[in-house]
Amino acid sequence: MSEKAKLKQTDDTCETSCFNEDIVKRVQPKINDVNGVELLFKAMSDATRLKIVYALTLEKELCVCDVAHIIGSTTATASHHLRLLRNMGLAKYRKEGKLVYYSVKDEHVHQLVRIALEHSRED
């Protein structure tokens, strides 16, 4: 490993062990507030599911067959991903005859996708 690489590696770490007791006391009790949130990010960390959620934000609702064609998959694969998104609280569905239509569950899902897109487009 080069000297420059070693310097860069240690440059982003404190060189001594200390902490701000007031900050730790203020933040530590709140840290478990995020328990379960990782499941939301896990659901959208899969590229196919993220594409499906994005497609659902572009239309009011989509049937499973439309989603399959949009993402270039089988209906079974699309249905599997949509079911997982529904179980994770990101999507909802309604059945009309032989067709099943999915949509995003609420405005928060739209916001998450919009913010993620904006962030990814920043330099």
Side-chain angles (χ1 to χ4, degrees):
M1 183 180 291
S2 72
E3 286 301 314
K4 189 175 181 181
K6 286 180 186 176
L7 180 62
K8 189 172 186 175
Q9 199 174 36
T10 60
D11 194 35
D12 63 352
T13 305
C14 293
E15 294 179 24
T16 184
S17 180
C18 68
F19 65 94
N20 185 314
E21 194 173 333
D22 291 335
I23 291 174
V24 171
K25 283 181 179 178
R26 191 169 53 246
V27 175
Q28 196 172 41
K30 298 176 183 178
I31 204 68
N32 288 329
D33 292 351
V34 297
N35 286 353
V37 175
E38 74 279 2
L39 299 174
L40 168 76
F41 288 103
K42 181 179 179 183
M44 296 207 319
S45 69
D46 178 85
T48 300
R49 287 193 295 270
L50 183 57
K51 288 175 184 176
I52 292 170
V53 172
Y54 180 57
L56 292 174
T57 67
L58 297 175
E59 295 292 328
K60 183 177 178 183
E61 64 181 7
L62 293 168
C63 85
V64 176
C65 300
D66 291 336
V67 170
H69 280 84
I70 289 167
I71 65 171
S73 76
T74 64
T75 304
T77 297
S79 183
H80 167 78
H81 286 295
L82 286 161
R83 189 176 310 109
L84 192 144
L85 291 168
R86 184 184 81 224
N87 291 340
M88 301 298 276
L90 296 173
K92 60 185 179 179
Y93 79 103
R94 69 177 183 85
K95 188 165 180 138
E96 186 175 298
K98 294 183 178 186
L99 299 176
V100 177
Y101 292 90
Y102 276 85
S103 59
V104 293
K105 187 159 184 182
D106 58 35
E107 182 57 29
H108 293 117
V109 178
H110 281 276
Q111 292 172 4
L112 283 168
V113 172
R114 186 175 56 250
I115 290 167
L117 275 171
E118 288 173 11
H119 181 72
S120 72
R121 292 177 179 156
E122 294 175 355
D123 4 307

